[in-house]
Amino acid sequence: MAEVFCQHDLECVWEATWSEFVQFGDPELQKAYDAVGQKYYDTHLKDGVLESARAKLAKRGLLENLPKIGDFQSREEFAAALEKHCGFAPHSILKVQGGSFTIWPQVEATPPSEAEFEKLSCLLSSLTLAAKADGSLKIGLVGNEKVSD
């Protein structure tokens, strides 16, 4: 199946689907598609995303003492330190599996308060900077749809 698409075709597919989770059955095609997205991110977005993360943490006084992944013996210890740094209880919202860190908010029927949103923003910004420092770190986010009435 991978030979059916040329690089230009994948770029067109990516442009049409970038905001969605796209999975191909063919691993080689998936790898090529993911590379198109990574190239776009590296070329157009990466610097701005990193600067935004630094600015958000600095504005709240949380950049200076940001935990560094290399200072911990395990990724789980690092995750707990990030949670604490951002105002969460350790082991409460950040799940670690291999090289992946997933923000997993508690299910609630009401939207998060502004303070809760700020803590989530801190955690995402902190993970963004950690991923820059450790290229193998992947970030995921599990969203919770507001429960309908």
Side-chain angles (χ1 to χ4, degrees):
M1 174 70 82
E3 63 274 3
V4 173
F5 288 98
C6 69
Q7 186 63 27
H8 174 73
D9 292 332
L10 280 177
E11 289 171 0
C12 290
V13 171
W14 185 85
E15 286 177 19
T17 62
W18 67 267
S19 64
E20 303 296 327
F21 291 105
V22 175
Q23 291 189 320
F24 294 97
D26 182 320
E28 290 300 314
L29 185 56
Q30 185 69 51
K31 185 176 178 180
Y33 175 83
D34 292 343
V36 171
Q38 186 64 50
K39 180 181 175 186
Y40 183 87
Y41 174 78
D42 289 344
T43 303
H44 301 287
L45 302 174
K46 186 177 185 178
D47 292 340
V49 168
L50 294 171
E51 185 52 41
S52 176
R54 282 187 202 94
K56 285 178 184 178
L57 292 170
K59 182 179 178 183
R60 295 188 55 219
L62 296 170
L63 182 60
E64 193 172 301
N65 296 318
L66 182 65
K68 308 274 188 280
I69 196 165
D71 293 341
F72 297 88
Q73 291 185 350
S74 72
R75 289 180 179 242
E76 289 77 13
E77 289 177 8
F78 174 64
L82 282 184
E83 287 172 316
K84 185 176 178 184
H85 182 74
C86 292
F88 293 102
H91 311 289
S92 65
I93 192 166
L94 196 53
K95 309 297 180 204
V96 180
Q97 186 174 20
S100 297
F101 286 63
T102 303
I103 300 172
W104 203 303
Q106 303 302 310
V107 177
E108 294 183 17
T110 58
S113 66
E114 186 172 335
E116 201 69 12
F117 178 80
E118 288 298 321
K119 293 187 323 186
L120 285 169
S121 178
C122 171
L123 197 54
L124 188 56
S125 293
S126 298
L127 284 169
T128 298
L129 295 178
K132 162 76 168 89
D134 180 341
S136 68
L137 187 145
K138 304 293 182 210
I139 304 169
L141 177 64
V142 174
N144 292 310
E145 240 181 83
K146 182 180 176 189
V147 177
S148 60
D149 294 330

